Amino acid sequence: MAITDVRTGLGWDSHRLVPGGEGGRPLILGGVRIESELGLDGHSDADVLTHAVIDALLGAAAMGDIGEHFPDTDERWRGADSIALLEHVAGLVAGAGWTTTSIDATVILERPKLKPHKAEMAARLAAAAGIDVGRVNVKATTAERLDAVGRGEGAVAQAVATIVRAS
Ligand code: MG
């Protein structure tokens, strides 16, 4: 009898908010560029949501973490498109024989409101992960003005990924 190996991985990431607009940092979440006077700071495009999803997939497959695969000391990843990094990681996970069955994520950000962008973020993440959009969920919430995220100083994202493989 074939036994299905089911694994779950957790991802968490945070990035600081800094001035955006022309000459400033962009606000990119789940591969979607969102109009905002603030952007996320980081070595890559600082897509906090995609980074959490990458770590969830790497965690599920026991393949380490995003910092091992794309060190922020490496100039190759300066300004990197995080969706391309997710495509690369999804390829590694699939190459090890895993099928991704679900990705669920939450972005915590005070503003702007992300509701109008959630469906597009899920679609971009699903395409990059190589799975049906019905297997990806993106949730958005605020920190209710509590803590640093609540003061509008940054954004946090959490993700869970489930992968399966016949063993
Ligand atoms: Mg990050």
Side-chain angles (χ1 to χ4, degrees):
M1 185 180 74
I3 295 173
T4 303
D5 193 354
V6 181
R7 300 197 190 173
T8 298
L10 174 71
W12 191 97
D13 194 29
S14 61
H15 280 267
R16 190 179 292 274
L17 280 164
V18 295
E22 206 165 324
R25 293 284 304 180
L27 178 62
I28 298 173
L29 293 170
V32 178
R33 192 176 183 124
I34 296 164
E35 280 300 313
S36 171
E37 68 255 32
L38 297 174
L40 291 171
D41 197 23
H43 185 71
S44 67
D45 64 4
D47 184 339
V48 68
L49 170 57
T50 302
H51 292 180
V53 169
I54 287 171
D55 260 353
L57 283 170
L58 288 171
M63 287 181 170
D65 65 29
I66 190 170
E68 290 172 35
H69 289 265
F70 312 107
D72 64 7
T73 51
D74 191 329
E75 283 304 308
R76 271 183 302 169
W77 313 123
R78 182 175 292 283
D81 172 4
S82 297
I83 284 290
L85 306 185
L86 174 56
E87 286 171 356
H88 176 78
V89 164
L92 294 178
V93 171
W98 295 103
T99 298
T100 301
T101 58
S102 77
I103 293 170
D104 183 30
T106 301
V107 187
I108 308 152
L109 178 69
E110 290 304 298
R111 62 189 172 90
K113 289 287 180 224
L114 300 178
K115 190 176 177 184
H117 308 288
K118 287 190 293 184
E120 191 182 355
M121 291 190 279
R124 292 294 307 274
L125 291 167
I131 61 176
D132 189 273
V133 69
R135 296 181 180 276
V136 178
N137 192 66
V138 173
K139 307 184 297 297
T141 190
T142 71
E144 295 284 347
R145 288 179 280 148
L146 297 165
D147 71 30
V149 172
R151 291 190 296 272
E153 296 171 16
V156 162
Q158 302 174 332
V160 173
T162 302
I163 61 175
V164 301
R165 177 170 74 176
S167 63

